[in-house]
Amino acid sequence: MHTALSTIAAVGPYGHGGGFPFFVLPAFFLLVFLAAFVVFGVLRRGGWRARSDARAVLADRFARGDIDADEYRARLSELSRR
Protein backbone atom coordinates (compact mmCIF):
# COMPACT_ATOMS: atom_id res chain seq x y z
CA MET A 1 0.00 0.00 0.00
CA HIS A 2 2.89 2.28 0.69
CA THR A 3 4.11 1.84 -2.90
CA ALA A 4 0.67 2.76 -4.27
CA LEU A 5 0.70 6.07 -2.38
CA SER A 6 4.19 6.88 -3.53
CA THR A 7 3.21 6.06 -7.13
CA ILE A 8 0.19 8.40 -6.94
CA ALA A 9 2.37 11.11 -5.47
CA ALA A 10 4.93 10.66 -8.26
CA VAL A 11 2.60 10.65 -11.29
CA GLY A 12 -0.31 12.74 -10.03
CA PRO A 13 -4.00 11.87 -9.76
CA TYR A 14 -4.41 11.00 -13.46
CA GLY A 15 -1.89 8.21 -13.56
CA HIS A 16 -0.18 7.40 -16.82
CA GLY A 17 -1.87 8.60 -20.01
CA GLY A 18 -4.82 10.29 -18.37
CA GLY A 19 -5.75 13.94 -18.22
CA PHE A 20 -7.38 16.42 -20.55
CA PRO A 21 -7.02 15.58 -24.25
CA PHE A 22 -5.32 18.76 -25.44
CA PHE A 23 -5.85 17.96 -29.14
CA VAL A 24 -9.52 18.91 -28.61
CA LEU A 25 -8.78 22.65 -28.44
CA PRO A 26 -6.94 22.95 -31.76
CA ALA A 27 -9.52 20.69 -33.41
CA PHE A 28 -12.32 22.90 -32.06
CA PHE A 29 -10.72 26.08 -33.38
CA LEU A 30 -10.06 24.41 -36.73
CA LEU A 31 -13.74 23.49 -36.99
CA VAL A 32 -14.78 27.04 -36.07
CA PHE A 33 -12.43 28.45 -38.72
CA LEU A 34 -13.75 26.08 -41.38
CA ALA A 35 -17.37 26.88 -40.50
CA ALA A 36 -16.68 30.62 -40.73
CA PHE A 37 -14.90 30.11 -44.06
CA VAL A 38 -17.89 28.20 -45.46
CA VAL A 39 -20.44 30.72 -44.17
CA PHE A 40 -18.58 33.74 -45.54
CA GLY A 41 -17.93 31.91 -48.80
CA VAL A 42 -21.62 31.22 -49.26
CA LEU A 43 -22.53 34.80 -48.42
CA ARG A 44 -19.94 36.15 -50.81
CA ARG A 45 -21.02 33.81 -53.57
CA GLY A 46 -24.60 35.03 -53.09
CA GLY A 47 -23.40 38.62 -53.60
CA TRP A 48 -21.58 37.61 -56.75
CA ARG A 49 -24.70 35.93 -58.05
CA ALA A 50 -26.72 39.09 -57.43
CA ARG A 51 -24.23 41.16 -59.48
CA SER A 52 -24.34 38.56 -62.24
CA ASP A 53 -28.15 38.72 -62.26
CA ALA A 54 -28.02 42.53 -62.40
CA ARG A 55 -25.71 42.34 -65.41
CA ALA A 56 -28.08 39.90 -67.12
CA VAL A 57 -31.04 42.22 -66.52
CA LEU A 58 -29.01 45.16 -67.84
CA ALA A 59 -28.05 43.19 -70.95
CA ASP A 60 -31.70 42.24 -71.51
CA ARG A 61 -32.81 45.86 -71.21
CA PHE A 62 -30.14 46.91 -73.71
CA ALA A 63 -31.14 44.10 -76.10
CA ARG A 64 -34.80 45.15 -75.94
CA GLY A 65 -33.86 48.75 -76.64
CA ASP A 66 -35.00 50.10 -73.27
CA ILE A 67 -31.63 51.79 -72.75
CA ASP A 68 -29.03 53.08 -75.20
CA ALA A 69 -25.36 52.05 -75.46
CA ASP A 70 -24.06 54.97 -73.37
CA GLU A 71 -26.44 54.24 -70.50
CA TYR A 72 -25.63 50.52 -70.76
CA ARG A 73 -21.88 51.17 -70.48
CA ALA A 74 -22.35 53.65 -67.63
CA ARG A 75 -24.48 51.23 -65.60
CA LEU A 76 -22.21 48.31 -66.38
CA SER A 77 -19.18 50.23 -65.14
CA GLU A 78 -21.11 51.13 -61.98
CA LEU A 79 -21.87 47.45 -61.38
CA SER A 80 -18.19 46.60 -61.91
CA ARG A 81 -17.12 49.04 -59.20
CA ARG A 82 -19.23 47.35 -56.52
Side-chain angles (χ1 to χ4, degrees):
M1 180 138 180
H2 179 51
T3 56
L5 290 177
S6 62
T7 303
I8 290 174
V11 296
Y14 299 111
H16 295 287
F20 184 74
F22 286 101
F23 68 89
V24 172
L25 291 176
F28 172 75
F29 285 114
L30 180 64
L31 287 175
V32 168
F33 176 74
L34 288 175
F37 183 75
V38 168
V39 167
F40 287 122
V42 167
L43 290 176
R44 183 174 178 159
R45 187 173 42 212
W48 177 82
R49 189 174 299 135
R51 283 193 302 268
S52 178
D53 291 343
R55 287 186 177 119
V57 169
L58 187 60
D60 288 342
R61 288 186 63 199
F62 178 64
R64 286 193 311 256
D66 293 344
I67 58 175
D68 63 355
D70 292 332
E71 187 174 357
Y72 173 75
R73 278 189 230 108
R75 290 183 183 207
L76 189 61
S77 70
E78 184 65 32
L79 284 174
S80 297
R81 279 190 238 159
R82 294 182 184 179

